[in-house]
Amino acid sequence: MQVTVKKPTEAEKQFMQKQPTWSCGVSEFDWYYDSEETCLLIEGEVTVEYDGGSVCFGAGDYVVFPQGLACVWKVTKSVRKHYTFR
């Protein structure tokens, strides 16, 4: 299982900007994705650790978390993101 991090296309950015937002302060917590999540970070920095690796992302990144992923979120700068689930 792999987390995908990339810069969004203009169409992806426009779509995500219409989605709800979620925010979180500096923290560390376990998370499990029971469905695929796509998000666009508006601000902040995060490292997500999971079996098989880790990934860092921040403001402006488009991130896809696969269904079934168990991970640890390490928020190093307060996060605000647009998100959607499949």
Side-chain angles (χ1 to χ4, degrees), residues 41-57:
L41 261 71
I42 302 165
E43 59 189 44
E45 289 182 6
V46 179
T47 298
V48 170
E49 296 179 349
Y50 56 96
D51 188 28
S54 68
V55 63
C56 299
F57 49 91

Side-chain angles (χ1 to χ4, degrees), residues 15 34-38 62 64-65 67 83-86:
F15 173 78
D34 53 10
S35 59
E36 180 182 276
E37 179 186 353
T38 302
Y62 181 87
V64 180
F65 299 96
Q67 180 179 4
Y83 69 94
T84 186
F85 289 99
R86 277 193 198 208

Side-chain angles (χ1 to χ4, degrees), residues 5-36:
V5 178
K6 67 179 193 122
K7 295 301 178 194
T9 64
E10 194 56 38
E12 289 167 335
K13 186 185 289 186
Q14 288 177 7
F15 173 78
M16 290 305 295
Q17 289 172 342
K18 296 175 186 171
Q19 304 309 308
T21 59
W22 177 85
S23 59
C24 177
V26 173
S27 58
E28 183 174 321
F29 56 92
D30 295 336
W31 194 254
Y32 178 78
Y33 290 91
D34 53 10
S35 59
E36 180 182 276

Side-chain angles (χ1 to χ4, degrees), residues 61-78:
D61 286 334
Y62 181 87
V63 187
V64 180
F65 299 96
Q67 180 179 4
L69 178 72
C71 61
V72 177
W73 270 62
K74 295 183 177 184
V75 180
T76 54
K77 286 189 181 176
S78 294

